[in-house]
Amino acid sequence: MWRKRVSDRFKLGPHYTIERFGVVMAALSLSGLLVVGMTVWGALSAGNTVLSETALYNSTFVTSRTGVEGTVNPVYVNRDRDRALVLMKFEIPSQMSSDAADYYVYGTGIDGGPGGGPTTLDTPLAGAVYSFGNTGYLGIILEAPDGFAPQLINLTVRARKELMTPRNRPVATGMDRSFIENDQWRVVVNPAARGAEHLPALDSDRLPEPEDIFAGTVTWRTEQAKRKVLDSRLADMKTQLTRISNYTSQMAQTSVRVGNDPSVRLLPPALPSAIDGDSITGMDSVELRTELMEKPSSAIEGVANKTERAALLDTTFPDGYLVNTYTLHSSGPMSGGTDFDWRQRSVADGYFETLGTGEPSIGDYLAHLSEQPIPSMSSRDLRWPLSNGDTINDVRPGDTRAKPLIELRNNAMTAYDEYFALKRAYQTVDLLELLVMEQTLDQVVSESTKASGPTAASFRS
């Protein structure tokens, strides 16, 4: 309800023409306070504080006719701050065209006075539209040869092709007819603000290739998050193997009387091939940090041979996460899974070509793996032998003397089950997701489209 009151009060949204659009379309977090419905005039009169900091003013959008929803990524800029990227994603990619030529962008400035109408841009702009295949991502490149001025830019993005039936809704009084006749939405940005993020792919002299933009934004974020999961997964697996080793040592040291035998011990079970003989080597994050303070990275095993991109991914986590160097050693991947050294390379460097799968493509390889059954294991079903030739199940339920062996078995069972579950997730989910990312990036290379010139973007200057 409050959003509607603010929208009506300050003439936001498609119900009002561009000539009357003059208010920031989002809530900004400033010094811990929620600033809602702040006018451009208010932002400018407050010493340009908001304007100089905030690069993006609405993180979501809804198209005016078909109601397709989407999100807006942070605004990206090049090092010289004369090129910017506004990256959007449709919630359901199939609802919108994947051809860049099916979109048109119109940009204006926004008047800083209380009227909040459109105004000319303080610096001339040019633009281009990028569609990243069927990923649902759409990008707008803004070029400012003289650099971006500290000014809000109102971008109206129009879809020339509708893949959804327009919604049947009443027309509000004063509604801009362009929003009735065309499926479009607005994004308000300020690339000159300090909040814009640097994107190296924008630094080239020429317009960047779609795959470079995608690899530096979408792939980077998802891959870095997945590398953190993989790194943590290996640390957890290492912990469970340590527990298993500890319980195995206890088995050799713990004996009880069973029947006439005064010294009966629990023996380790025979394990399924999926985990039999597994080990994990390497340094934990604390050990690695100590090594890096004493030696150059080129002299540290597990770090020295990383590609430049892999090294950056592992040393630039937003939350300061520190990686380990753990490596899994096993007889082979689980059924339905894979195993490869993901640490030394990245998705953009390419993993598939190093696997030697014999399959012609990632898609074929993933399809082959999907036909294999995913293994399962319950350590309760394993045979837990005793040193007297019996099994733990042969011990009489009321024999309290065997309690230490039963408790030891139960503890070991938990460790085996947890390790198996961690390894299964690691090989049949996590590593495959890296290959899916690589496949997606390959599709972006082959399926992306670009549109530029006045038929793709124009600006009021």
Side-chain angles (χ1 to χ4, degrees):
M1 180 61 71
W2 67 267
R3 289 185 185 274
K4 185 178 188 303
R5 289 199 301 267
V6 170
S7 180
D8 292 343
R9 167 65 180 84
F10 294 108
K11 301 178 175 61
L12 289 177
H15 295 281
Y16 300 93
T17 140
I18 293 177
E19 303 302 320
R20 301 164 70 186
F21 181 84
V23 180
V24 176
M25 301 191 303
L28 307 178
S29 178
L30 179 63
S31 300
L33 300 176
L34 193 63
V35 182
V36 182
M38 175 177 287
T39 64
V40 175
W41 176 82
L44 294 175
S45 65
N48 291 329
T49 302
V50 175
L51 191 62
S52 65
E53 292 288 344
T54 308
L56 175 65
Y57 288 78
N58 59 304
S59 58
T60 62
F61 63 86
V62 180
T63 63
S64 61
R65 280 171 54 85
T66 60
V68 174
E69 299 180 4
T71 56
V72 188
N73 283 247
V75 176
Y76 299 97
V77 292
N78 65 346
R79 185 181 297 105
D80 296 331
R81 288 185 173 267
D82 56 10
R83 177 181 291 157
L85 167 69
V86 180
L87 187 63
M88 297 161 283
K89 185 180 191 303
F90 301 117
E91 187 173 303
I92 303 177
S94 61
Q95 292 180 342
M96 299 295 284
S97 172
S98 59
D99 188 347
D102 290 333
Y103 298 92
Y104 170 73
V105 179
Y106 176 63
T108 72
I110 300 176
D111 182 16
T119 186
T120 57
L121 294 162
D122 291 344
T123 183
L125 297 183
V129 179
Y130 284 51
S131 177
F132 301 91
N134 293 317
T135 64
Y137 281 92
L138 186 74
I140 300 171
I141 293 287
L142 301 175
E143 301 233 86
D146 299 326
F148 290 103
Q151 178 186 27
L152 295 187
I153 302 173
N154 175 45
L155 300 173
T156 299
V157 188
R158 175 179 298 173
R160 291 189 169 110
K161 183 181 293 184
E162 296 176 1
L163 304 186
M164 299 288 292
T165 303
R167 297 177 299 177
N168 184 13
R169 63 177 185 175
V171 177
T173 303
M175 186 175 184
D176 186 343
R177 290 207 62 82
S178 70
F179 281 84
I180 301 172
E181 298 169 354
N182 302 281
D183 201 26
Q184 53 193 42
W185 66 96
R186 286 179 171 132
V187 180
V188 178
V189 298
N190 175 23
R194 285 189 288 269
E197 298 182 12
H198 175 230
L199 179 62
L202 299 176
D203 289 336
S204 62
D205 294 335
R206 300 179 301 172
L207 279 175
E209 293 302 319
E211 60 268 26
D212 294 329
I213 291 177
F214 198 85
T217 55
V218 180
T219 304
W220 182 279
R221 289 195 309 272
T222 54
E223 180 180 8
Q224 192 171 60
K226 180 52 62 176
R227 289 177 79 93
K228 184 176 180 180
V229 169
L230 286 160
D231 190 83
S232 299
R233 192 88 72 188
L234 282 170
D236 291 340
M237 290 164 64
K238 172 71 170 177
T239 297
Q240 297 307 321
L241 286 178
T242 301
R243 290 179 63 197
I244 290 170
S245 177
N246 179 60
Y247 295 137
T248 301
S249 296
Q250 290 184 37
M251 291 178 194
Q253 300 167 6
T254 304
S255 62
V256 300
R257 174 177 287 277
V258 176
N260 296 324
D261 194 329
S263 181
V264 176
R265 292 176 290 105
L266 179 68
L267 303 178
L271 298 174
S273 59
I275 62 172
D276 189 27
D278 284 6
S279 65
I280 292 177
T281 59
M283 293 180 285
D284 64 29
S285 60
V286 175
E287 293 170 326
L288 176 58
R289 180 169 53 185
T290 301
E291 284 282 294
L292 288 170
M293 289 189 294
E294 299 174 351
K295 303 176 183 178
S297 59
S298 59
I300 300 175
E301 185 177 357
V303 178
N305 296 324
K306 288 185 179 182
T307 65
E308 180 181 0
R309 183 180 171 94
L312 283 172
L313 282 163
D314 287 344
T315 55
T316 58
F317 288 96
D319 61 357
Y321 180 83
L322 298 174
V323 300
N324 56 62
T325 66
Y326 290 144
T327 300
L328 171 65
H329 304 278
S330 65
S331 59
M334 286 186 175
S335 172
T338 189
D339 192 21
F340 55 87
D341 183 2
W342 54 271
R343 292 191 184 275
Q344 309 308 313
R345 299 174 68 84
S346 72
V347 168
D349 297 320
Y351 290 116
F352 180 68
E353 64 182 10
T354 70
L355 301 185
T357 65
E359 299 289 348
S361 69
I362 296 176
D364 290 311
Y365 180 52
L366 294 176
H368 171 70
L369 293 180
S370 70
E371 296 173 352
Q372 299 176 4
I374 303 298
S376 61
M377 184 194 86
S378 172
S379 57
R380 186 172 293 277
D381 298 329
L382 300 178
R383 185 178 185 276
W384 292 85
L386 298 176
S387 59
N388 64 356
D390 293 334
T391 70
I392 195 74
N393 293 330
D394 296 325
V395 176
R396 291 180 299 173
D399 191 345
T400 58
R401 292 173 298 182
K403 184 177 179 181
L405 302 187
I406 294 173
E407 290 180 346
L408 187 55
R409 187 275 310 263
N410 291 343
N411 290 335
M413 281 172 49
T414 300
Y416 278 121
D417 285 340
E418 291 185 6
Y419 176 77
F420 185 92
L422 288 166
K423 182 180 180 182
R424 181 171 58 188
Y426 179 79
Q427 293 191 331
T428 68
V429 178
D430 299 329
L431 289 175
L432 296 189
E433 288 182 359
L434 286 181
L435 295 179
V436 170
M437 292 179 204
E438 183 178 344
Q439 182 185 39
T440 300
L441 191 56
D442 289 345
Q443 291 171 344
V444 167
V445 172
S446 60
E447 299 174 5
S448 291
T449 55
K450 293 186 290 187
S452 59
T455 60
S458 61
F459 301 89
R460 184 172 177 175
S461 58

